[in-house]
Amino acid sequence: AAEARYWFSAVWSGTEMIVWGGYDGTKATGVNSGGRYNPATNSWQATSTSTPLTPRYGHQAVWTGTRMLVFGGQGPDFFNYDFFNTGASYDPVANTWTAISTTGAPSPRSAMAAVWSGSEMLIWGGDDLQARLLNGGRYNPQSNTWQSLSTVGAPQNSVLMSAIWTGTEMIVWGGQQPTLAADINTGGRYRPSDDTW
């Protein structure tokens, strides 16, 4: 199995759970390793460590149908708070990684929301230590390009929220307020077809 960790990402490929990244408290750094668990054979296989990504945790990952897309996060040193707006695509068939474009990508962040729309990875909110972020981006792996999300009518900026994809909309809910004073019980619905909340 993959080494012990938390604040990692996990996706379901249709046949395997793919786990990647996270924080290993014994090293005080993020990790850039992962594993693939096959429930049919009850067995693990390591993901390639030949990745363009630096060790990180608090990132997000989505499954496109053929690849895992990883974006953002922080690390590698838990105490230095480096934030990333880099990402990569993982192909489990070839067990290879490919960097994705950072041109037009959202600013560096951690603990944001992410969903796969069927054609794009949608990123929203998160934290860069300076502020809870009220912005996001859409990544198209076919064109390897980013586009920003509208902020008009968006929910309150927050961190550690949850998001799901309905088939037509991303629904974001909850999280933590910028002041850290209280949690949030509000949210919003984002429709990429017309870039509206």
Side-chain angles (χ1 to χ4, degrees), residues 1-186:
E3 65 182 284
R5 66 193 66 203
Y6 66 94
W7 214 358
F8 54 89
S9 61
V11 300
W12 175 248
S13 73
T15 57
E16 296 176 318
M17 174 179 68
I18 306 175
V19 171
W20 190 82
Y23 174 68
D24 180 347
T26 65
K27 297 178 181 177
T29 63
V31 297
N32 67 344
S33 63
R36 297 156 52 181
Y37 174 71
N38 186 323
T41 59
N42 192 28
S43 61
W44 285 89
Q45 177 183 343
T47 59
S48 170
T49 54
S50 296
T51 170
L53 298 176
T54 55
R56 64 190 63 200
Y57 52 91
H59 54 284
Q60 282 284 7
V62 299
W63 179 251
T64 70
T66 58
R67 294 171 179 260
M68 176 177 69
L69 300 179
V70 174
F71 178 78
Q74 64 187 90
D77 186 335
F78 188 81
F79 304 103
N80 286 338
Y81 301 107
D82 294 325
F83 290 82
F84 303 116
N85 71 340
T86 54
S89 169
Y90 174 71
D91 179 351
V93 175
N95 194 25
T96 57
W97 290 88
T98 305
I100 66 175
S101 174
T102 56
T103 302
S107 59
R109 65 193 62 209
S110 174
M112 60 285 188
V115 299
W116 175 249
S117 73
S119 59
E120 296 176 316
M121 174 173 62
L122 307 181
I123 298 291
W124 179 255
D127 175 56
D128 65 1
L129 192 62
Q130 303 301 314
R132 300 294 190 255
L133 301 170
L134 186 66
N135 55 51
R138 302 160 57 171
Y139 174 72
N140 185 321
Q142 292 297 317
S143 58
N144 193 27
T145 57
W146 286 92
Q147 178 182 343
S148 62
L149 270 63
S150 171
T151 58
V152 177
Q156 181 178 354
N157 49 329
S158 63
V159 65
L160 297 172
M161 74 294 284
S162 286
I164 57 98
W165 177 251
T166 70
T168 57
E169 295 178 319
M170 173 176 67
I171 302 178
V172 176
W173 192 85
Q176 192 176 64
Q177 289 181 341
T179 60
L180 304 181
D183 298 328
I184 298 168
N185 68 343
T186 58

